[in-house]
């Protein structure tokens, strides 16, 4: 393992993270990383956000949300390390925590292989722990070249205004590895705005509606589309990069096929 007590490590952003010893008390500001740490390093988590819903029954202190963490509550937990994500958390909060003397490890996740590599660095370097078995299983399932696309989809992640998954995103890469062509993969924006009426006329096979970050549901989302089939999915399977990756391929493939993308 690559952890080394008393040395300066580098997170995914290249920022220096100085640890006197492998982190044994961790606060997670990222739901996906919370689940990953709970499953791969039992006992290290002492705090998490209110949005950290997995694993169910996790008993740790709650430090408010991903975009507005209670920094005083974080500091009061005396963490050896706070884990954050470039996309999910604010640079201001990361900076203020560091200014308070709390080491922060920021992940950058834009592809499935990138997520798996990021998790390996976090476990082996910051925690000085072995790579979890579930992470190895996920690597076997998800690495390798993406298959030839068999369906064209769009993935709204918000409404009013409507926004969709664009380029350089974990969700987009995961869809490609399922054989789904994201209609907005070539857009310069990561989450561009889109007109639902235009989506309904775009010749898509399926419009994929995850239940997070916007909580699309049977009565909230599908009614906006009259021509194109929709598929409601658990957003965690599409955007989380922890243990859910082990079952996400099978579950998403089945749900997308039911919605029309796999036929």
């Amino acid at each position: 393992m690559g952890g080394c007590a008393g040395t300066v490590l580098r997170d995914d952003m290249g920022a220096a993270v100085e640890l006197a010893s492998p982190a044994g008390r961790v606060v997670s500001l990222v739901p996906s990383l919370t689940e990953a740490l709970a499953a791969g390093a039992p006992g290290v988590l002492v705090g998490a956000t209110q949005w950290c819903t997995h694993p169910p029954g996790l008993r740790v202190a709650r430090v408010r949300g991903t975009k507005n963490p209670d920094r005083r509550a974080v500091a009061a937990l005396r963490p050896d390390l706070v884990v954050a994500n470039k996309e999910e958390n604010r640079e201001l909060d990361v900076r203020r925590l560091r200014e308070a003397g709390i080491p922060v490890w920021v992940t950058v996740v834009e592809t499935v292989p990138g997520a798996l590599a990021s998790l390996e660095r976090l476990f082996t370097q910051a925690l000085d722990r072995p790579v979890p078995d579930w992470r190895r299983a996920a690597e076997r399932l998800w690495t390798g070249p993406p298959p030839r696309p068999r369906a064209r989809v769009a993935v709204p992640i918000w409404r009013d205004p409507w926004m969709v998954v664009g380029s350089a995103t974990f969700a987009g890469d995961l869809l490609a590895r399922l054989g789904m062509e994201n209609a907005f993969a070539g857009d310069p924006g990561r989450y561009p705005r889109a007109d639902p009426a235009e989506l309904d006329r775009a010749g898509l096979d399926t419009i994929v509606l995850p239940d997070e970050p916007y909580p699309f549901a049977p009565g909230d989302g599908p009614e906006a589309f009259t021509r194109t089939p929709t598929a409601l999915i658990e957003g965690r399977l599409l955007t989380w990069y922890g243990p859910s990756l082990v079952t996400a391929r099978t579950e998403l493939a089945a749900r997308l096929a039911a919605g029309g993308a796999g036929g």
Side-chain angles (χ1 to χ4, degrees), residues 58-198:
L58 178 67
R59 295 183 178 180
V60 296
R62 300 294 173 163
V63 294
R64 224 158 48 201
T66 57
K67 305 297 186 185
N68 65 337
D70 184 336
R71 295 191 297 270
R72 289 186 179 181
V74 171
L77 292 170
R78 298 177 291 107
D80 303 317
L81 186 68
V82 171
V83 292
N85 175 263
K86 179 184 178 182
E87 179 175 318
E88 291 200 49
N89 306 115
R90 301 188 307 168
E91 187 276 336
L92 172 64
D93 293 314
V94 171
R95 176 160 45 86
R96 292 284 171 80
L97 287 168
R98 286 173 172 163
E99 289 171 352
I102 300 171
V104 182
W105 184 283
V106 180
T107 62
V108 179
V109 172
E110 296 180 349
T111 65
V112 177
L116 295 173
S118 176
L119 286 168
E120 181 171 352
R121 286 193 296 273
L122 176 61
F123 277 99
T124 61
Q125 296 182 23
L127 304 181
D128 197 21
R129 300 256 186 149
V131 174
D133 290 342
W134 57 259
R135 186 250 175 232
R136 296 185 188 280
E139 184 172 26
R140 291 192 295 270
L141 287 166
W142 288 101
T143 54
R148 178 175 296 181
R150 65 178 185 274
R152 191 165 180 262
V153 301
V155 187
I157 52 92
W158 203 259
R159 69 180 301 174
D160 301 326
W162 285 83
M163 301 171 68
V164 296
V165 170
S167 60
T169 62
F170 174 86
D173 185 62
L174 184 144
L175 284 169
R177 292 171 187 280
L178 284 174
M180 304 292 134
E181 177 190 357
N182 175 14
F184 290 86
D187 194 282
R190 299 190 74 209
Y191 300 103
R193 293 192 180 189
D195 183 339
E198 290 299 321

Side-chain angles (χ1 to χ4, degrees), residues 54 209-212 232-239 251-252 255:
H54 287 72
L209 298 172
D211 63 5
E212 62 176 45
L232 291 161
I233 64 166
E234 183 183 354
R236 171 173 163 267
L237 298 175
L238 182 65
T239 61
E251 294 183 39
L252 281 174
R255 190 68 193 93

